């Protein structure tokens, strides 16, 4: 390649990278602005994420040492790696004078290294242009992912799809000015603006005027905000929920949210209700496109794989989604899960010690963010290592894999002991489990046919693995062994561990579903030798599969919202949908057989059946996303779990003045106690102060029971002993919630003096009759 050709290639690639990044930046800002986020917050948060992504992308280039990269790969891995590095540095320097800029240190460092790096300085690096349609589809599919809870985004998705088809028609006309990238880019932006404005219009019509707190999902939503402030202010070894007791829960996602919010000086609630969700989805789908390109070279199939990922875990029965807004930690960790899948795939092609170290770091991050994601990934990597020992690959690579497996295992164990393992007496009940075949279908639906369903579930995965091995790409074969180990471990843990909370089983199923999409898609591709365009009979099977899933899920929801006890029975919840699917499959198999004899259809029957069964989950996904209006039609009421909870705004308005007083007058390290029993974590969420014993943790463990009794006794019958005990716990402020029953006192002197009071509560300042302990 001549120097001129090399320069042109580099220029085109960098232009493509800048165009893709700019497109996502605009979409991200427009989405936030149409969802009650101010312009200043939208831009500042996007800039912070962009700086994190730049650091991550350059880190990946320095670590992987490849010559060629794709724009969408650098954006996805930049977000995945950059957010991890930024959060780690922010936590390390949290108590130092550098804490304000610590989040940007990784980007500054790698930029400095890259300037001195001769390989980068001499432009021995090619960024391959990516199709603009891929980035457009990333934005489009992100609306689908979020519509699982916010069904008002469906109009925006439909507008985006119409725009995609319209732009395709224009760009296929060689005489059209839209063949030039800048014009098609402008047209794409116009469709994005129109789609998001349309969505905002429908949301306003359905819900009325909104504020940012309308997007808080009940008590857990306030917990997410409180956890973010806890990690930002006190790190993982203390907690705003129970002072002087370590967080002892999966914290890394909340730590990233706190890091980003502080760096952007964002308003309260913005990151946990809007920004973290849309940015996580965008980064995850960029990575999904990257991995689908490496597994399946057919560019026509890749968007279907990414779309299948969004709906992969949707099952006929209880709502279940890959991007689960009900769990902030699970939602954000999906980004790092797909990041490590992509990096392991590249590692098998270009093994080196730096990539191995990065895998170890990401293994630990997965564990401290969501252990149910980490364990199957580690088991899958361990199975890959064992398989690798029996191959003819180099001894150096084998040693590197063994070292990575050992180091990852040791580091995960140390992270568990230091950060996650509860302190003595503070073990919460949802951590407990039994090794027994549970009565839950992946933590979603009680039934006695789980063995049959698990069997069918595994058949598709093993089928994809078996046919994937027949491909010619050796790296892909090794990667399939890793995915198979992951899928088997996740499925086994989901079925064979009976946790106190079935949510843990569901999280094992989520990580399995993500990996299974790539496992099955590769097997189907190798089995069918699929070439574009996709034939009409494959599209027909996809359509009927989607209709079947939609219809089956609708029947389930009708039973649920009509309080039909048959919903919980085997016949109503499992057998009927399965029998329906079986009869429909036989019916279409006969039609396709006849069509084949008449030479009206060609292709693999395995592909056709796979297309039908795989497309069932998108149908279920669509029905699940609109379950709320279905319920409203039946009961004329809101689903309290998923509707925008306006009642929470009332609670916030009642305590906001008192909490503002506390924020303005209390120091960051001071501790507040309260008799508030509503499990909404509003006090730490609104103030960022540590609670002596917050109402959200009531009943979670026995160690803090004495704290709650002490608080209740003091607010009703203050005594010298109770006062001394509170001071011994470093309590300096007390919030009396007057809406709680049996609050008759008007004064708590001499132990505490009222500093602020309104009709809903009073803020007390604890007297200095007894000095605070030295550890306060």
């Amino acid at each position: 390649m001549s120097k001129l050709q090399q320069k042109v290639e580099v220029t085109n690639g960098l232009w493509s990278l800048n165009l893709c990044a700019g497109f996502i930046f605009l979409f991200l800002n427009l989405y936030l602005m149409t969802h009650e986020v101010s312009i200043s917050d939208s831009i500042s948060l996007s800039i912070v994420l962009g700086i994190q992504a730049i650091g991550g992308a350059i880190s990946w280039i320095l670590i992987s040492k490849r010559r060629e990269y794709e724009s969408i790969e650098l954006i996805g891995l930049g977000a995945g790696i950059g957010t991890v590095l930024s959060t780690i540095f922010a936590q390390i320097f949290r108590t130092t004078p550098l804490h304000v800029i610590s989040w940007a240190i990784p980007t500054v460092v790698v930029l400095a290294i890259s300037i001195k790096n001769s390989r980068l300085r001499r432009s021995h690096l090619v960024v391959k242009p990516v199709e603009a349609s891929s980035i457009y589809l990333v934005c489009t599919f992100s609306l689908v992912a979020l519509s699982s809870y916010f069904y008002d985004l469906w109009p925006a998705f439909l507008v985006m799809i119409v725009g995609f088809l319209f732009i395709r028609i224009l760009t296929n006309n060689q005489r059209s000015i839209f063949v030039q990238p800048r014009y098609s880019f402008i047209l794409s932006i116009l469709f994005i603006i129109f789609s998001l404005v349309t969505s905002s219009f429908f949301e306003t019509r359905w819900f009325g005027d909104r504020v940012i707190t309308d997007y808080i999902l009940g008590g857990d939503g306030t917990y997410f905000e409180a956890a973010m402030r806890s990690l930002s202010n006190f790190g993982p070894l203390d907690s705003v929920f129970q002072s002087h007791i370590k967080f002892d829960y999966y914290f890394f996602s909340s730590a990233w949210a706190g890091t980003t919010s502080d760096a952007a000086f964002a308003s309260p609630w913005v990151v946990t209700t809007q920004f973290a969700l849309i940015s996580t989805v965008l980064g995850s789908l960029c990575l999904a496109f990257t991995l689908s390109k490496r597994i399946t070279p057919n560019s026509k199939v890749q968007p279907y794989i990414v779309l299948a990922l969004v709906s992969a875990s949707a099952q006929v029965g209880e709502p279940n989604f890959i991007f689960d807004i009900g769990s902030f930690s699970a939602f954000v960790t999906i980004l790092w899960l797909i990041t490590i899948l992509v990096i392991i795939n590249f590692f098998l092609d270009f093994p080196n010690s730096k990539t191995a170290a990065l895998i170890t770091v990401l293994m630990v991050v997965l564990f401290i963010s969501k252990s149910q994601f980490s364990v199957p990934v580690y088991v899958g990597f361990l199975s890959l290592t064992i398989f690798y020992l029996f191959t003819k690959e180099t001894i150096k690579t084998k040693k590197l894999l063994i070292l990575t497996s050992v180091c990852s295992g040791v580091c995960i164990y140390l992270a568990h002991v230091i950060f996650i393992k509860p302190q003595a007496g503070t073990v919460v009940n949802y951590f407990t489990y039994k090794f027994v075949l549970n009565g839950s279908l992946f933590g979603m639906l009680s039934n006695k046919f789980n063995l049959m369903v698990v069997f069918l579930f595994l058949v598709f995965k093993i089928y994809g693995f078996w046919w994937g091995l027949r491909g010619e790409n050796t790296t892909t074969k090794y990667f399939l062994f890793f995915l198979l180990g992951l899928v088997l471990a996740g499925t086994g843990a989901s079925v064979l561990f009976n946790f106190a909370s079935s949510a843990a089983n569901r999280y094992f199923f989520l990580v399995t579903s993500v990996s299974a999409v790539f496992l099955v898609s590769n097997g189907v591709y190798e089995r069918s030798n699929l070439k574009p365009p996709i034939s009409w009979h494959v599209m027909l099977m996809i359509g009927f599969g989607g209709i079947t899933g939609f219809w089956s899920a609708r029947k389930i929801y009708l039973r649920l919202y009509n309080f039909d006890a048959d919903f919980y029975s085997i016949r109503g919840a499992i057998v009927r949908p399965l029998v329906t699917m079986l009869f429909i499959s036989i019916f279409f198999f006969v039609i396709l057989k006849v069509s084949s004899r008449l030479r009206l259809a060609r292709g693999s029957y395995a592909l056709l059946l796979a297309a039908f069964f795989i497309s069932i989950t998108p149908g279920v996904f669509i029905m699940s996303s609109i379950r709320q209006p279905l319920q409203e039609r039946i009961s004329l009421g809101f689903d309290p779990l998923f509707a925008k909870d306006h009642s929470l705004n009332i609670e916030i308005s009642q305590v906001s003045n008192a909490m503002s007083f506390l924020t303005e007058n209390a120091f960051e390290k001071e501790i507040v106690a309260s008799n508030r029993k509503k499990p909404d974590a509003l006090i730490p969420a609104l103030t960022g102060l540590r609670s002596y014993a917050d109402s959200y943790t009531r009943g979670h463990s026995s160690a803090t029971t004495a704290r709650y009794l002490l608080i209740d006794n003091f607010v009703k019958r203050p005594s010298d002993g109770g006062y001394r005990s509170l001071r011994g716990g470093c309590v300096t402020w007390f919030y009396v919630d007057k809406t709680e029953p049996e609050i008759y006192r008007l004064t708590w002197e001499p132990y505490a003096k009222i500093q602020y009071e309104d009709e809903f509560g009073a803020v007390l300042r604890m007297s200095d009759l007894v000095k605070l302990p030295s550890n306060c």
Side-chain angles (χ1 to χ4, degrees):
M1 181 184 295
S2 67
K3 289 186 177 181
L4 179 60
Q5 289 176 318
Q6 183 179 351
K7 187 175 181 180
V8 170
E9 188 174 8
V10 171
T11 302
N12 289 340
L14 292 177
W15 165 250
S16 173
L17 176 60
N18 292 332
L19 192 66
C20 293
F23 194 90
I24 289 181
F25 180 85
L26 284 172
F27 176 82
L28 179 58
N29 276 275
L30 289 170
Y31 179 90
L32 293 174
M33 291 175 192
T34 54
H35 285 81
E36 310 311 315
V37 179
S38 68
I39 296 176
S40 58
D41 281 340
S42 300
I43 294 175
S44 61
L45 284 167
S46 300
I47 290 174
V48 168
L49 180 64
I51 293 172
Q52 292 174 341
I54 289 171
I58 297 176
S59 299
W60 174 240
I61 292 172
L62 294 173
I63 289 171
S64 59
K65 296 182 178 180
R66 288 161 40 223
R67 183 177 180 275
E68 292 187 350
Y69 299 85
E70 291 196 1
S71 301
I72 201 167
E73 169 197 345
L74 291 179
I75 292 173
L77 286 177
I81 298 172
T83 51
V84 167
L85 295 178
S86 179
T87 306
I88 291 174
F89 272 74
Q91 286 294 307
I92 291 174
F93 293 98
R94 182 180 56 80
T95 57
T96 71
L98 293 175
H99 73 279
V100 176
I101 60 169
S102 57
W103 65 274
I105 291 177
T107 301
V108 174
V109 170
V110 296
L111 277 172
I113 294 173
S114 65
I115 292 173
K116 293 184 177 181
N117 189 293
S118 59
R119 183 171 68 94
L120 299 181
R121 191 171 62 248
R122 296 173 185 172
S123 298
H124 292 170
L125 178 68
V126 175
V127 180
K128 296 168 64 177
V130 66
E131 288 187 25
S133 61
S134 297
I135 294 297
Y136 187 92
L137 289 175
V138 164
C139 298
T140 304
F141 293 161
S142 68
L143 298 176
V144 179
L146 293 175
S147 68
S148 60
Y149 286 87
F150 305 120
Y151 65 85
D152 44 83
L153 289 174
W154 279 112
F157 167 73
L158 295 176
V159 172
M160 292 281 281
I161 287 296
V162 171
F164 175 76
L165 298 175
F166 184 68
I167 294 171
R168 268 298 177 90
I169 292 172
L170 292 178
T171 52
N172 286 336
N173 183 0
Q174 296 300 319
R175 297 180 179 179
S176 171
I177 62 171
F178 294 100
V179 174
Q180 301 180 39
R182 61 176 177 272
Y183 291 114
S184 59
F185 176 79
I186 293 173
L187 189 58
S188 300
I189 294 299
L190 291 176
F191 270 105
I192 285 177
I193 294 174
F194 181 63
S195 67
L196 292 175
V197 170
T198 301
S199 172
S200 182
F201 168 78
F202 278 103
E203 188 176 13
T204 302
R205 185 173 180 180
W206 289 330
F207 295 105
D209 294 332
R210 294 102 58 210
V211 293
I212 192 66
T213 50
D214 285 326
Y215 296 94
I216 301 173
L217 294 177
D220 281 344
T222 52
Y223 166 80
F224 303 151
E225 183 78 8
M228 179 190 77
R229 303 192 70 170
S230 178
L231 272 300
S232 177
N233 294 340
F234 307 106
L237 299 181
D238 206 335
S239 171
V240 297
F241 302 105
Q242 300 170 115
S243 59
H244 297 109
I245 295 177
K246 70 180 181 180
F247 197 78
D248 65 24
Y249 195 61
Y250 312 114
F251 66 86
F252 199 83
S253 52
S254 295
W256 168 72
T259 296
T260 305
S261 181
D262 290 348
F265 300 98
S267 303
W269 308 105
V270 169
V271 172
T272 53
T273 62
Q274 294 295 346
F275 177 76
L277 308 185
I278 183 63
S279 58
T280 294
V281 171
L282 289 172
S284 300
L285 296 187
C286 284
L287 290 167
F289 261 103
T290 300
L291 192 53
S292 66
K293 285 174 181 287
R294 290 184 57 79
I295 288 179
T296 308
N298 186 343
S299 61
K300 302 291 184 180
V301 177
Q302 290 156 10
Y304 291 99
I305 297 175
V306 177
L307 189 57
L309 173 69
V310 172
S311 62
S313 64
Q315 302 292 311
V316 176
E318 207 171 327
N320 192 49
F321 307 107
I322 293 292
F323 296 101
D324 181 12
I325 294 177
S327 171
F328 186 82
S329 58
F331 194 105
V332 175
T333 308
I334 290 292
L335 172 63
W336 300 319
L337 169 64
I338 306 180
T339 297
I340 197 171
L341 296 182
V342 173
I343 290 176
I344 289 174
N345 186 271
F346 277 113
F347 174 77
L348 294 173
D349 252 344
F350 311 97
N352 65 68
S353 57
K354 293 180 180 178
T355 308
L358 180 59
I359 291 173
T360 301
V361 171
L362 289 172
M363 286 280 192
V364 176
V365 167
L366 277 184
F367 181 80
I368 59 180
S369 192
K370 206 70 180 176
S371 67
Q372 291 88 355
F373 288 6
S374 173
V375 173
V377 173
Y378 180 71
V379 172
F381 193 82
L382 200 61
S383 63
L384 170 66
T385 303
I386 296 172
F387 170 75
Y388 222 86
L389 297 177
F390 298 96
T391 65
K392 297 180 180 180
E393 299 295 333
T394 63
I395 298 296
K396 181 180 178 181
T397 304
K398 293 179 180 178
K399 289 181 178 179
L400 193 57
L401 276 168
I402 294 173
L403 183 62
T404 305
S405 298
V406 173
C407 288
S408 297
V410 171
C411 290
I412 286 173
Y413 174 76
L414 292 176
H416 169 72
V417 173
I418 297 172
F419 299 118
I420 307 300
K421 185 179 180 180
Q423 296 174 213
T426 64
V427 179
V428 291
N429 55 14
Y430 47 74
F431 276 117
T432 59
Y433 64 90
K434 296 179 181 178
F435 184 72
V436 62
L437 184 66
N438 62 54
S440 172
L441 175 60
F442 308 121
M444 291 184 292
L445 189 65
S446 297
N447 65 90
K448 295 181 180 179
F449 280 84
N450 54 340
L451 284 177
M452 178 187 70
V453 178
V454 169
F455 174 75
L456 294 175
F457 181 78
L458 288 176
V459 164
F460 274 102
K461 285 30 175 195
I462 297 173
Y463 167 85
F465 168 74
W466 176 255
W467 283 107
L469 291 182
R470 301 196 173 195
E472 298 178 357
N473 191 320
T474 304
T475 299
T476 301
K477 293 180 182 179
Y478 293 154
F479 187 66
L480 291 178
F481 270 99
F482 161 70
L483 290 179
L484 182 66
L486 192 162
V487 166
L488 293 177
T491 304
S494 181
V495 174
L496 298 178
F497 285 92
N498 192 3
F499 289 87
S501 171
S502 61
N505 301 83
R506 186 157 47 87
Y507 297 141
F508 280 120
F509 178 67
L510 288 184
V511 67
T512 300
S513 299
V514 170
S515 307
V517 167
F518 301 107
L519 184 65
V520 173
S521 61
N522 178 264
V524 171
Y525 174 79
E526 295 292 347
R527 174 67 179 89
S528 60
N529 193 24
L530 189 62
K531 297 179 181 179
I534 298 178
S535 60
W536 67 267
H537 50 286
V538 174
M539 296 300 297
L540 183 67
M541 294 301 285
I542 291 175
F544 279 109
I547 293 171
T548 301
F550 184 91
W551 177 82
S552 300
R554 185 177 183 276
K555 296 290 288 185
I556 293 296
Y557 285 117
L558 285 173
R559 294 176 182 279
L560 171 64
Y561 293 140
N562 279 305
F563 302 100
D564 187 347
D566 192 43
F567 168 77
Y568 298 100
S569 73
I570 300 168
R571 187 167 59 93
I574 293 296
V575 175
R576 286 181 179 176
L578 287 179
V579 170
T580 302
M581 293 177 196
L582 179 63
F583 276 108
I584 292 177
S585 301
I586 295 173
F587 175 72
F588 283 110
F589 182 80
V590 172
I591 291 178
L592 291 168
K593 194 72 174 176
V594 174
S595 299
S596 179
R597 290 292 180 91
L598 297 176
R599 297 185 178 181
L600 297 175
R602 295 174 299 173
S604 164
Y605 291 110
L607 171 64
L608 298 176
L609 291 176
F612 174 77
F613 279 105
I614 292 174
S615 61
I616 287 174
T617 54
V620 176
F621 178 90
I622 294 171
M623 181 62 246
S624 297
S625 71
I626 59 174
R627 63 194 178 279
Q628 182 181 318
L630 178 67
Q631 187 208 17
E632 292 171 12
R633 181 181 175 185
I634 294 173
S635 60
L636 299 179
F638 282 97
D639 184 339
L641 182 59
F642 302 113
K644 293 178 177 63
D645 193 351
H646 296 283
S647 64
L648 185 60
N649 285 337
I650 299 175
E651 296 286 343
I652 293 175
S653 65
Q654 290 177 352
V655 301
S656 60
N657 289 336
M659 296 304 105
S660 296
F661 178 87
L662 266 176
T663 304
E664 293 170 3
N665 292 275
F667 295 107
E668 183 182 271
K669 293 186 178 181
E670 291 192 286
I671 295 173
V672 59
S674 176
N675 66 315
R676 185 178 176 85
K677 292 184 174 62
K678 298 181 180 68
D680 51 21
L682 270 184
I683 294 177
L686 293 173
T687 65
L689 298 173
R690 288 174 295 172
S691 292
Y692 183 58
D694 186 73
S695 58
Y696 186 87
T697 57
R698 242 178 221 273
H700 283 197
S701 65
S702 58
T704 54
T705 301
R707 293 189 179 190
Y708 295 117
L709 292 175
L710 181 61
I711 290 171
D712 290 340
N713 288 333
F714 179 80
V715 76
K716 296 175 183 177
R717 296 175 296 277
S719 63
D720 185 70
Y723 165 76
R724 289 179 178 275
S725 297
L726 288 175
R727 294 293 282 179
C730 303
V731 176
T732 53
W733 295 89
F734 199 108
Y735 176 69
V736 179
D737 190 335
K738 294 181 180 180
T739 63
E740 296 293 343
E742 300 181 15
I743 305 299
Y744 308 117
R745 296 189 66 86
L746 299 178
T747 180
W748 287 263
E749 295 184 5
Y751 308 114
K753 186 176 181 180
I754 296 176
Q755 301 293 310
Y756 172 87
E757 187 173 15
D758 56 30
E759 60 181 307
F760 303 108
V763 178
L764 314 181
R765 175 73 181 183
M766 302 296 289
S767 302
D768 293 327
L769 301 175
V770 175
K771 290 185 177 181
L772 295 172
S774 59
N775 65 335
C776 295

